Each structure stands twice: as structure tokens, then as C-alpha cells.
Amino acid sequence: MQYLKDQPFIEAFGKKLKAVREEKKLSQERLSLLCNVSQSHIARTELGQVNTSISHVATYARVLGVTPAQLFDF
């Protein structure tokens, strides 16, 4: 089975995560502390360099006060 990586989708998710984070007036550093992930992981996710896990998506949504679906609304 071949691993599929949809780069445009990953980049769109990263842009949406960044937009929501900025809308909530949180820095990458603050979000990383609240989510217990590294700031560099947040940065790489926002830049579309990381195909983040569904567990991270759920955590980001919870901390940002949105539904996971809202993070995929792009």
C-alpha cells in the first residue's frame, strides 16, 4: 500500500490553523504550551511542512475553542 500525501490539503490546513490561532490572539508559543507540543511543530504545521496527526487536530480545536471540522473549513 502506498502512503498518500496531499500536499495542497496539508498546506491549506496549515493556513487555516494559523488564521484561527491569530483570530484567537494566540502566539505559536502560547498555543504550543496549551497543546503540549513544540512550537516548532506548530510552525511547521502552519507552513504545510508537517502532515500532523488527528490527535493534534483534536487538541488544537479544543484549545482554540472550535470544532475539528472548522479547522478543515477551507
Side-chain angles (χ1 to χ4, degrees):
M1 179 178 225
Q2 182 182 10
Y3 175 71
L4 299 176
K5 184 177 178 184
D6 186 338
Q7 191 61 38
F9 186 87
I10 292 167
E11 290 172 6
F13 176 80
K15 288 178 185 177
K16 180 67 175 199
L17 177 63
K18 181 178 181 178
V20 173
R21 176 182 60 76
E22 289 178 339
E23 186 177 292
K24 301 291 182 171
K25 309 279 191 238
L26 290 175
S27 66
Q28 286 181 350
E29 182 178 11
R30 183 71 180 141
L31 182 60
S32 73
L33 290 171
L34 294 170
C35 293
N36 197 31
V37 299
S38 70
Q39 184 271 331
S40 66
H41 185 81
I42 302 275
R44 292 188 340 242
T45 300
E46 290 183 353
L47 291 170
Q49 297 173 345
V50 171
N51 189 4
T52 196
S53 74
I54 197 71
S55 294
H56 283 126
V57 172
T59 301
Y60 298 149
R62 186 180 72 254
V63 168
L64 292 168
V66 298
T67 66
Q70 288 172 290
L71 292 177
F72 290 106
D73 185 18
F74 43 82

